[in-house]
Amino acid sequence: ISPAAHPSRKVFLQTHHHIVVSIDCLTLITMRVLALLALYVAGASAFVTGGTSFVGKPVYNMEPTAVQAPRSGSSSLQMMRHRKGFKKLGKPADQRKALLRALTTETIRHGRIKTTLVRAKAVRKHVDHMIELGKRGDLHARRQALGWMYDKQLVHSLFEAAPERYADRNGGYTRVLRTVARQGDNAKMAIIELV
């Protein structure tokens, strides 16, 4: 039957032509989606441990060893501190000096103070030096101590008491005792005290 004989046939053929074009586009899109899915599956199969494409050990099956396990409270990567003169205490030079002077003064005033472990170890040499100056007792030593400590009366009392208190001791005038970690930030704490 020719389209001229039946006018509805002509409309059907035009409509059918659009459907065929739509089916062809749909088929092309479906093929592209299937090809993309095949690529995803092929890429994901590279990570399957039973397959032959992955030859390394899976991460979740590796047993931690003593070398790999980091120590608690510190980083697993530590550099050696060769030829490093002192701890910087996380402060610029002027603030660090003021902190060490204040800690030295308070340690000598109270006999024992509680501070962080790193600060206690850093201030220990300064407290020992002030006691050495007090044992020496001359004018230059007194002026050096006055230049470091904040309390003038404390320096005078140190110079009176140090020679007889530490007469038989040639060093090691302070003791650093570790205590429990600080509550807020888990910092290592210590007590520095005069012996």
Side-chain angles (χ1 to χ4, degrees):
I1 300 174
S2 69
H6 295 283
S8 62
R9 174 78 175 158
K10 183 177 181 181
V11 172
F12 173 74
L13 285 177
Q14 288 174 350
T15 308
H16 181 68
H17 176 70
H18 289 297
I19 292 173
V20 170
V21 170
S22 299
I23 290 175
D24 287 341
C25 289
L26 250 158
T27 307
L28 183 64
I29 291 171
T30 307
M31 288 177 56
R32 286 184 180 174
V33 168
L34 288 176
L36 190 61
L37 285 174
L39 284 175
Y40 283 144
V41 170
S45 67
F47 296 105
V48 176
T49 56
T52 59
S53 60
F54 186 71
V55 293
K57 287 185 180 179
V59 175
Y60 54 84
N61 284 341
M62 292 177 61
E63 295 294 326
T65 61
V67 176
Q68 293 174 344
R71 295 179 299 169
S72 62
S74 66
S75 172
S76 61
L77 178 65
Q78 292 184 350
M79 303 299 291
M80 295 184 186
R81 286 184 50 87
H82 294 165
R83 297 182 62 84
K84 303 291 187 287
F86 52 88
K87 294 283 188 178
K88 291 188 177 181
L89 304 177
K91 297 190 178 303
D94 57 341
Q95 296 176 18
R96 182 171 57 245
K97 183 179 177 183
L99 174 70
L100 291 173
R101 288 177 68 185
L103 288 174
T104 303
T105 304
E106 296 306 311
T107 302
I108 292 174
R109 174 180 288 129
H110 297 291
R112 70 185 301 176
I113 60 169
K114 183 178 178 183
T115 183
T116 62
L117 180 64
V118 178
R119 288 179 181 181
K121 287 181 177 181
V123 78
R124 179 172 49 187
K125 64 181 273 191
H126 297 288
V127 175
D128 285 353
H129 184 231
M130 292 300 113
I131 294 175
E132 283 288 342
L133 292 176
K135 280 177 66 175
R136 237 175 56 200
D138 57 348
L139 181 62
H140 181 57
R142 189 177 294 261
R143 285 180 175 166
Q144 283 180 315
L146 285 168
W148 183 260
M149 291 174 55
Y150 284 129
D151 192 354
K152 184 177 180 180
Q153 292 303 117
L154 187 63
V155 171
H156 295 316
S157 63
L158 172 68
F159 273 68
E160 291 170 5
E164 60 266 9
R165 181 173 176 181
Y166 298 108
D168 56 343
R169 187 178 286 268
N170 290 324
Y173 306 111
T174 55
R175 179 185 297 127
V176 175
L177 304 170
R178 295 169 186 252
T179 61
V180 295
R182 189 160 54 196
Q183 184 73 33
D185 58 353
N186 204 27
K188 294 179 182 177
M189 300 298 286
I191 292 173
I192 180 168
E193 62 183 7
L194 298 177
V195 177

